[in-house]
Amino acid sequence: MAGHIIMAEKKNSNKGMAEKYSARTIELLEPILSENKFQMVDVEYVTEGEENYLRIYIDKEGGISLDDCEIVSRAVELKLDEENLIKDPYILEVSSPGLTRKLKSENDFKFGKGKYVLVMLYKPEDIAGNGNKVKSFCGILEDFDQEKVVVSVDMSSLAKPAKKGAKKNSKTAQKKAAELLKEHPWDGKALVKRSDISLIRLEINDDDFNSSNKEAVEEISLEEPVSEDSSSGNGSFEE
């Protein structure tokens, strides 16, 4: 279970200061995380409804516990109070990045390499060269550098763009993917510019990825005709 702790309420309505707050918080966090062998994942200052949140996401090998979050929360709260960095009320949250961790930094991408990810684009792109433009898709993050990422695409997510809570590996999606693959042979590798990506994060469901693609490809083959010797309608057979 992901660790999560909420500390004292404080609020700030000045959205323009968000980057300043986040940047300075990162500086204050560095010695705390280094001392405890934790990894910085992300810091964000956001407004949701009438509340403002300073959210800190941390990680470590083996996963973050509630006690780990409390250690960081208490230490950084003292430093923030000493500086009086954020003068209006806000809520401080320290937690692990969870199962759908966003990939932003170099360390994030290293962590995500080889894992199943969701990629969301700023505008629909024809990543397979088959005329089927998509704005989001899933697959295994194979490689990356400063300018691009390479994803081994889950064919069913191409046929049916990924949506939160949607079943990406449905039979309908697999059949559509198979049709596209048959018409436009493709190695399944998508090379996407990072500047075209609005969001890339870890996605649940990688366990079904290989079997899903296998089924999608197998759908290309015509089903074998049923033999006349097959069972009769009543389910019995005669010798």
Side-chain angles (χ1 to χ4, degrees):
M1 179 181 293
H4 189 200
I5 186 165
I6 299 179
M7 294 300 292
E9 290 190 2
K10 298 175 178 179
K11 183 179 178 181
N12 190 307
S13 59
N14 189 350
K15 295 181 181 179
M17 300 297 287
E19 289 187 6
K20 174 185 175 182
Y21 296 155
S22 297
R24 181 54 183 155
T25 300
I26 289 173
E27 293 175 353
L28 296 174
L29 277 168
E30 286 176 351
I32 300 170
L33 300 182
S34 178
E35 179 183 351
N36 292 280
K37 294 182 170 54
F38 297 155
Q39 176 190 338
M40 166 71 67
V41 175
D42 196 15
V43 173
E44 60 179 3
Y45 183 84
V46 297
T47 300
E48 296 179 358
E50 297 182 354
E51 301 292 350
N52 295 280
Y53 298 84
L54 178 61
R55 291 184 173 134
I56 299 170
Y57 300 96
I58 59 175
D59 206 354
K60 72 173 183 182
E61 187 173 350
I64 288 293
S65 69
L66 185 63
D67 288 341
D68 295 332
C69 292
E70 186 171 0
I71 289 171
V72 173
S73 184
R74 292 187 185 282
V76 76
E77 184 184 24
L78 288 174
K79 290 183 176 292
L80 289 168
D81 287 347
E82 286 174 3
E83 290 202 4
N84 195 23
L85 178 65
I86 306 174
K87 296 178 174 57
D88 295 327
Y90 65 93
I91 297 173
L92 172 63
E93 295 183 352
V94 180
S95 68
S96 69
L99 297 176
T100 55
R101 172 177 177 171
K102 295 178 183 178
L103 307 185
K104 295 183 177 181
S105 68
E106 187 77 4
N107 285 335
D108 291 337
F109 277 91
K110 287 179 180 178
F111 180 82
K113 188 174 180 179
K115 294 182 173 64
Y116 194 82
V117 297
L118 165 67
V119 180
M120 300 185 71
L121 307 173
Y122 285 109
K123 62 180 181 179
E125 300 284 353
D126 180 9
I127 63 170
N130 57 18
N132 181 42
K133 291 187 176 182
V134 295
K135 197 172 181 180
S136 64
F137 60 91
C138 296
I140 302 297
L141 177 61
E142 298 286 355
D143 204 358
F144 69 92
D145 59 27
Q146 293 296 321
E147 297 182 353
K148 61 185 179 299
V149 299
V150 179
V151 177
S152 182
V153 178
D154 181 342
M155 298 300 291
S156 63
S157 72
L158 268 187
K160 186 176 183 180
K163 293 181 180 179
K164 186 176 181 181
K167 294 182 67 176
K168 295 179 287 302
N169 295 316
S170 67
K171 288 291 184 181
T172 301
Q174 290 169 11
K175 186 174 182 179
K176 177 63 176 177
E179 292 172 354
L180 291 173
L181 186 62
K182 184 177 180 180
E183 295 172 4
H184 304 274
W186 177 48
D187 65 1
K189 305 284 186 182
L191 191 154
V192 185
K193 293 181 180 178
R194 287 175 65 167
S195 58
D196 291 337
I197 298 173
S198 63
L199 170 71
I200 178 169
R201 63 170 171 78
L202 299 186
E203 177 75 341
I204 303 170
N205 211 24
D206 56 335
D207 289 342
D208 296 329
F209 170 67
N210 290 328
S211 60
S212 170
N213 268 17
K214 183 173 182 292
E215 288 181 29
V217 174
E218 287 176 346
E219 286 282 350
I220 296 174
S221 302
L222 294 176
E223 293 184 3
E224 295 183 5
V226 178
S227 170
E228 292 182 359
D229 294 332
S230 298
S231 60
S232 60
N234 60 10
S236 63
F237 67 92
E238 297 179 359
E239 295 184 3

